Amino acid sequence: MENSCSIRYSNKHMKGQGVQQDDIWQAVLGEIEVSLSRGSFLTWFKNTCLLKQEEDLTIIGVSNIFVKQHLEKKYGGLIESTLRKQGATVGQIEYKITPAAGRRRDLGNEKDFESSQLTSLAMPANAGSSVQNLRQSPNGLNERYTLDNFIVGDGNELAFAACQAVTQQPGTKYNPLYLYGGVGIGKTHLIQAVGNALQARNPDAKVLYIATEQFVREFVQSLRGRTAAAFASNYRSADVLIVDDVQFLAGKDKIQEEFFHTFNTLHQADKQIIMSSDKPPRDIAMLEDRLKSRFVGGMSIDMQVPDFETRCAIIQLKAEGHQVTLDPEVIEHLATAVQTNIRELEGALNQLLAWCDVRNLTPTVAIASSLLQVNKTRPKHLSAKQIIEKTARHFQIPLEEMVGPKRDKDIVVPRQVAMYMLHEELRLSYPKIARELGRKDHTTAMHSVRKITQESQVDAALRNAISEIKEHLYA
Ligand code: ADP
Ligand code: MG
C-alpha cells in the first residue's frame, strides 16, 4: 500500500497503520486549510497524502512534479510545524509523486457523482483544441469540458461551487445561475461542464447548450422559414438550458421577447437555466428590464481572472493533457507572461509545445520567452490560405463564400476578420489582402482592418473570436 495515496474524504479503505497516518494527515490538512486561501489550499494540498511517517523520515505523496517543487519551496516549513503540532516527530521531509494522488480536482464532498467525473480527467494525447471541437454533439455540449478538469482557485472558486451545487440539485436553489466575467476566464468551460455532468447523470434529460449568437441565428431562420413554433417548443421543452454570452441579446427586441417566454416556461417548471455573460445583467445596455430582473432572480456570480498559482496549475494540467511534463520555471514564465486570459495562456502553451515538438526540443524558459516575444512582433510559417480557412471554419462559413461575391452581413464580418488576421498575423499589404479574399479594391481591405481593430476594442465577442482563431492557428 506504500505507493497508493489515501485521498482525502475517501479514506475508509485504509487499514492498520495507514489509518493512524491518515488521521494525522487529515488533521494537518485541516489546520493548513484554515491558514491558506481556499485557492492555494485546493491547488497545492488537496491531492496530497502521507505515505510514510517515521521519526527520521516523512514522505508526502503528491500528484505531480509541480506540486512537489512548490511544496518544497514554499510550504516545507508550514508542513513541518503543523506535523509537529499533531505530535509527530519530524526529521527529513520528502515528497514523492504518486499517480494515485492526482485523481481528484473537485471540492471533494460530492460523493454521488464521483464516478462520472473521474473518468473524464484522462485526456487523450492529441487533446489539441481543433480535434476537440469536432466532438461537439447535437445538444451543443463538448465533452472536453468537465468540472474535473477545471482548476479551482481564487477568482473562480465561488462559481465552481455554485456549478457543483447546480449539478447536484438542478432547478432548485440557484435558478437561474448567471456567471459573468472577462474573456477567456473559464465561463464557457464551467457552464458546459455542468451540462456534461447533468447529462451524464441523467442520459434521458434534454440538456441544451447554445451560444446566444447561434440562438439568435436559429431564431431568425425560424422566422424566415415559418418554423417559429418548432423553434420555441424545442427550447421550451429543455430540462436544462444553458445559454452562453447572453450579452448578445442586447438590442434585439424580438429575440428578447422569445427568450423571456422560454425563460418563464422553464423556470416555472423548475427546469435549470444557466447563463454566462461578460457583464452583470444591469450593465447590459438595451436589455429589457423584465429580463434583467429575471436574470438576477437566482444566483449571479462574478468570475475573476485566476491568480498566479491557479494559472500555474492550469498550465500544468493542460500540459499533462498533451502528455508533457513542463519544467516549473517554464510554467511560471508562461503564467507570468499571460495574466488576464486563460484562452491566451493556453494558446501560448500550445504554441510552445507545437514549436518544440516539431523541432524535437525540450521546452525551456528561453524558448517560451522568445516565442512570446515573437508573438508580440510577428510569427512566420503560416500561409494566407490557412488563416482564411481557419477563420471560415470558426464562423462556419464555406470557404467559397468567404472569397466569393456575397455581401450578406453573416459573411461580411467573417471576411473582415480574415482580412484583419492577414494584416495582424502576416503583415500582408492591403492590395495583397484584398486579392486573397477575392476583392478588387485595396481600400476594402484597409477599411475592414480598421473596422475590426476598432470594434475589437469594445466588442468582447469579437476579441474572443479573434483569440480563438489564433489559438487554432497555433495549436
Ligand atoms: P470564457 O468563456 O470565459 O471566455 P472559456 O471557458 O472559453 O472562457 O475558457 C478559455 C479556455 O481556458 C478554455 O480552454 C478553458 O478550458 C480554459 N480554462 C479557463 N479557466 C480554466 C480553469 N480554471 N481550469 C482549466 N481550464 C480553464
Ligand atoms: Mg465563453
Side-chain angles (χ1 to χ4, degrees):
M1 197 95 200
E2 157 97 51
N3 259 2
S4 72
C5 253
S6 63
I7 294 160
R8 197 157 193 236
Y9 307 110
S10 54
N11 52 356
K12 45 192 178 284
H13 305 302
M14 297 296 288
K15 286 198 191 87
Q17 202 202 330
V19 172
Q20 233 177 10
Q21 244 169 240
D22 197 58
D23 285 348
I24 295 175
W25 194 240
Q26 292 302 324
V28 167
L29 288 178
E31 285 243 343
I32 291 179
E33 184 166 8
V34 292
S35 69
L36 296 181
S37 79
R38 186 97 182 118
S40 301
F41 177 75
L42 290 173
T43 308
W44 305 117
F45 286 94
K46 182 153 54 79
N47 292 315
T48 58
C49 62
L50 195 55
L51 290 173
K52 184 179 270 188
Q53 172 53 44
E54 289 170 358
E55 263 176 35
D56 52 347
L57 180 63
T58 302
I59 302 180
I60 294 164
V62 298
S63 56
N64 59 53
I65 176 89
F66 194 56
V67 172
K68 175 176 180 249
Q69 300 197 351
H70 199 81
L71 290 183
E72 276 169 354
K73 236 193 325 206
K74 274 191 78 174
Y75 293 115
L78 177 65
I79 292 172
E80 184 178 336
S81 64
T82 318
L83 270 167
R84 289 227 166 87
K85 269 199 206 162
Q86 296 304 322
T89 319
V90 188
Q92 195 179 336
I93 300 186
E94 283 179 9
Y95 301 85
K96 183 164 179 172
I97 298 162
T98 17
R103 289 294 117 82
R104 306 285 317 262
R105 283 175 212 272
D106 42 34
L107 281 176
N109 45 4
E110 60 313 324
K111 295 187 189 68
D112 37 357
F113 75 112
E114 255 171 21
S115 53
S116 68
Q117 297 291 301
L118 285 177
T119 44
S120 48
L121 190 66
M123 286 198 234
N126 58 349
S129 34
S130 47
V131 179
Q132 286 158 348
N133 284 349
L134 298 176
R135 273 192 267 127
Q136 190 153 325
S137 53
N139 60 7
L141 292 172
N142 184 326
E143 66 190 34
R144 79 181 266 222
Y145 298 116
T146 67
L147 288 175
D148 208 35
N149 66 19
F150 188 83
I151 303 280
V152 184
D154 288 348
N156 62 32
E157 185 198 327
L158 202 58
F160 181 82
C163 286
Q164 275 199 319
V166 165
T167 305
Q168 280 150 33
Q169 288 186 298
T172 54
K173 257 197 299 187
Y174 303 142
N175 200 19
L177 175 64
Y178 185 104
L179 303 183
Y180 65 93
V183 174
I185 59 170
K187 302 183 298 295
T188 297
H189 185 133
L190 268 185
I191 62 179
Q192 280 257 347
V194 178
N196 280 319
L198 286 170
Q199 189 73 84
R201 287 181 112 196
N202 187 353
D204 296 329
K206 181 167 175 180
V207 180
L208 288 181
Y209 165 93
I210 183 107
T212 299
E213 295 109 307
Q214 176 75 17
F215 189 68
V216 172
R217 231 176 283 140
E218 278 183 23
F219 177 66
V220 172
Q221 277 164 8
S222 80
L223 292 181
R224 277 199 208 125
R226 299 178 194 286
T227 52
F231 173 86
S233 82
N234 181 36
Y235 289 101
R236 290 178 203 183
S237 61
D239 294 305
V240 178
L241 180 62
I242 305 169
V243 188
D244 207 351
D245 290 318
V246 292
Q247 72 272 14
F248 295 124
L249 293 171
K252 304 183 175 95
D253 298 345
K254 271 202 143 166
I255 186 85
Q256 285 185 26
E257 161 113 42
E258 171 64 30
F259 190 58
F260 180 73
H261 294 300
T262 304
F263 187 103
N264 286 343
T265 306
L266 295 177
H267 197 260
Q268 275 155 22
D270 287 337
K271 305 294 188 187
Q272 179 69 46
I273 301 162
I274 304 169
M275 290 173 282
S276 84
S277 171
D278 66 350
K279 39 177 110 59
R282 64 169 182 279
D283 292 351
I284 304 180
M286 303 206 285
L287 181 69
E288 287 180 30
D289 285 342
R290 59 180 185 170
L291 275 176
K292 287 186 187 176
S293 71
R294 288 291 185 288
F295 288 2
V296 294
M299 178 80 172
S300 52
I301 294 176
D302 180 4
M303 284 179 75
Q304 302 286 340
V305 183
D307 62 7
F308 173 73
E309 292 175 352
T310 311
R311 293 200 300 280
C312 288
I314 293 172
I315 300 170
Q316 164 81 32
L317 177 74
K318 305 278 172 181
E320 270 172 28
H322 293 276
Q323 319 251 291
V324 174
T325 305
L326 282 180
D327 209 3
E329 278 84 57
V330 175
I331 294 180
E332 284 170 6
H333 185 83
L334 291 172
T336 309
V338 187
Q339 306 202 345
T340 59
N341 183 329
I342 304 301
R343 182 174 303 114
E344 263 170 34
L345 186 58
E346 244 186 293
L349 170 69
N350 287 340
Q351 189 183 358
L352 173 66
L353 296 184
W355 175 275
C356 291
D357 190 40
V358 170
R359 291 163 186 78
N360 212 2
L361 298 169
T362 304
T364 59
V365 170
I367 301 174
S369 126
S370 71
L371 281 177
L372 286 161
Q373 205 48 48
V374 169
N375 250 352
K376 280 195 204 117
T377 49
R378 205 48 5 245
K380 25 48 255 232
H381 79 262
L382 280 171
S383 70
K385 186 155 174 281
Q386 279 171 309
I387 291 181
I388 297 169
E389 271 171 11
K390 294 274 186 202
T391 310
R393 190 174 313 156
H394 178 88
F395 291 103
Q396 303 183 332
I397 287 168
L399 189 58
E400 314 83 73
E401 299 210 331
M402 280 289 264
V403 299
K406 273 203 198 157
R407 302 198 39 84
D408 307 12
K409 184 147 189 277
D410 283 352
I411 295 163
V412 168
V413 173
R415 193 182 285 144
Q416 289 173 334
V417 170
M419 293 192 196
Y420 168 86
M421 299 289 291
L422 292 179
H423 176 76
E424 285 290 297
E425 302 302 301
L426 299 182
R427 297 274 174 229
L428 294 187
S429 68
Y430 291 120
K432 190 130 201 304
I433 292 175
R435 263 203 307 284
E436 291 288 352
L437 271 305
R439 320 285 20 120
K440 290 196 195 75
D441 189 351
H442 76 278
T443 57
T444 310
M446 254 161 80
H447 165 76
S448 301
V449 171
R450 200 176 303 138
K451 176 164 174 274
I452 298 298
T453 308
Q454 281 166 1
E455 284 189 2
S456 63
Q457 281 162 17
V458 291
D459 184 340
L462 186 59
R463 270 203 304 283
N464 218 342
I466 291 168
S467 68
E468 268 176 19
I469 296 167
K470 278 193 197 159
E471 190 191 332
H472 286 156
L473 282 173
Y474 298 112

